[in-house]
Amino acid sequence: MARAVGLHISKDFVRAAEVEGSAKRLRIRSFVELPVETPEGTPPEDAVASALERLFREHKLPRSPVALGLDSGEAMFRDLTVPFIRDDQLRRTLKYELETHVHSHNPDELVVDYVLLGRNAKESRVFVSALPKTLVGGRLKQLDRLKVDPVFVDLDAFGLVSALGASGALAAHPNGVAAHLDGARARFVVVEGGKLRSARSVLLAAGEDGPP
C-alpha cells in the first residue's frame, strides 16, 4: 500500500504521522514525536534540524510524499475588507493591504494566503493568514538537508479543519468552533457550512513559547 507522512514542525517538537492506503481509505500506521533539544550555544534552527534528522532516521519514515504543517503560533491572522473582487486582484494586492495591519514585517517579507468570506460588486471580505518567508524558507531548507521535498505546506490550524472533514465531523456539525490545546498554545478554528472562516493561535503560558 502507498505510504505517506504528515509532518508537523514547531520550535519545541517535531511530529510525524505515517499513513497508508488511498484518498478514500487511510490508515494511520504510526505517530511519533520528538522534543527539540537545544543545548547551550546551539542555534535553534540547528536544534530543529537535528530533531528532524533523528525523527526520520530512528523511525524509518518514508521521505516522499510528505505534507508539512507549520506552527500557527508563528502566523499572523487578519479579517479584512478590501476594494477588490477578482481573485487575481486579491492574490496580487493582499500582502500590501496587510501593511497597515501588520507592523512587524514588510509586505514582501511575508507568504500570504486567504479565504474568501464574501463579496459584493465593490469589495471582498477575506480571512488572511501570513507567515514570514524566512520561517517558511528555513523549514524547507531543514527538510532539503534530509532530501525531503513536501508536496504541500499548510498551517497546523488549517490541518485541524482537514482532519475534521476527513473524520466526518464537519458533515455532522458544519458550524462551530474547534480547539486544539498543545503545550503552551491553543489553536481555534471557526467553521461555517463545513468551511474554514477564521482561526487564531493563543499563548496560554507566558515564557514557554515564541518564535525560534
Side-chain angles (χ1 to χ4, degrees), residues 115-117 161 164-165 168-177 189-198:
V115 174
L116 180 67
L117 302 179
V161 178
L164 291 170
L170 290 185
H173 306 283
N175 304 306
V177 178
V189 293
V190 178
V191 292
E192 293 180 2
K195 296 182 179 180
L196 175 71
R197 286 296 178 260
S198 188

Side-chain angles (χ1 to χ4, degrees), residues 3-48:
R3 298 163 60 196
V5 170
L7 185 64
H8 180 221
I9 303 176
S10 74
K11 75 178 189 67
D12 297 311
F13 294 94
V14 292
R15 303 177 173 101
E18 183 183 0
V19 299
E20 66 178 8
S22 65
K24 293 183 178 179
R25 187 180 179 88
L26 284 177
R27 181 176 74 89
I28 297 177
R29 286 174 52 96
S30 64
F31 175 81
V32 291
E33 173 184 282
L34 288 179
V36 174
E37 299 174 350
T38 310
E40 185 175 353
T42 301
E45 292 302 304
D46 289 348
V48 172

Side-chain angles (χ1 to χ4, degrees), residues 38-198:
T38 310
E40 185 175 353
T42 301
E45 292 302 304
D46 289 348
V48 172
S50 177
L52 284 168
E53 191 278 330
R54 284 183 53 214
L55 187 77
F56 278 89
R57 173 173 47 82
E58 293 179 5
H59 298 281
K60 297 181 173 56
L61 296 172
R63 307 199 178 202
S64 179
V66 171
L68 174 60
L70 298 178
D71 186 359
S72 296
E74 309 284 0
M76 293 153 276
F77 301 112
R78 297 292 186 274
D79 297 286
L80 302 180
T81 299
V82 294
F84 307 104
I85 59 172
R86 298 202 319 263
D87 289 335
D88 62 319
Q89 293 174 320
L90 291 171
R91 285 192 294 270
R92 286 199 310 268
T93 62
L94 266 182
K95 67 179 180 180
Y96 301 106
E97 292 291 324
L98 273 176
E99 190 169 11
T100 58
H101 301 272
V102 174
H103 304 292
S104 57
H105 294 81
N106 293 324
D108 289 327
E109 297 173 344
L110 298 172
V111 178
V112 176
D113 201 358
Y114 72 96
V115 174
L116 180 67
L117 302 179
R119 60 164 56 117
N120 57 33
K122 295 183 178 180
E123 59 188 20
S124 299
R125 292 185 301 108
V126 290
F127 169 63
V128 183
S129 57
L131 275 171
K133 288 181 179 179
T134 52
L135 175 69
V136 179
R139 297 295 184 234
L140 293 177
K141 285 180 181 178
Q142 290 165 343
L143 293 176
D144 185 61
R145 289 166 55 177
L146 302 175
K147 302 189 183 305
V148 173
D149 183 13
V151 293
F152 70 86
V153 181
D154 208 347
L155 289 171
D156 53 11
F158 300 164
L160 176 59
V161 178
S162 299
L164 291 170
S167 71
L170 290 185
H173 306 283
N175 304 306
V177 178
H180 177 223
L181 276 67
D182 180 16
R185 280 200 174 268
R187 294 157 181 84
F188 299 92
V189 293
V190 178
V191 292
E192 293 180 2
K195 296 182 179 180
L196 175 71
R197 286 296 178 260
S198 188

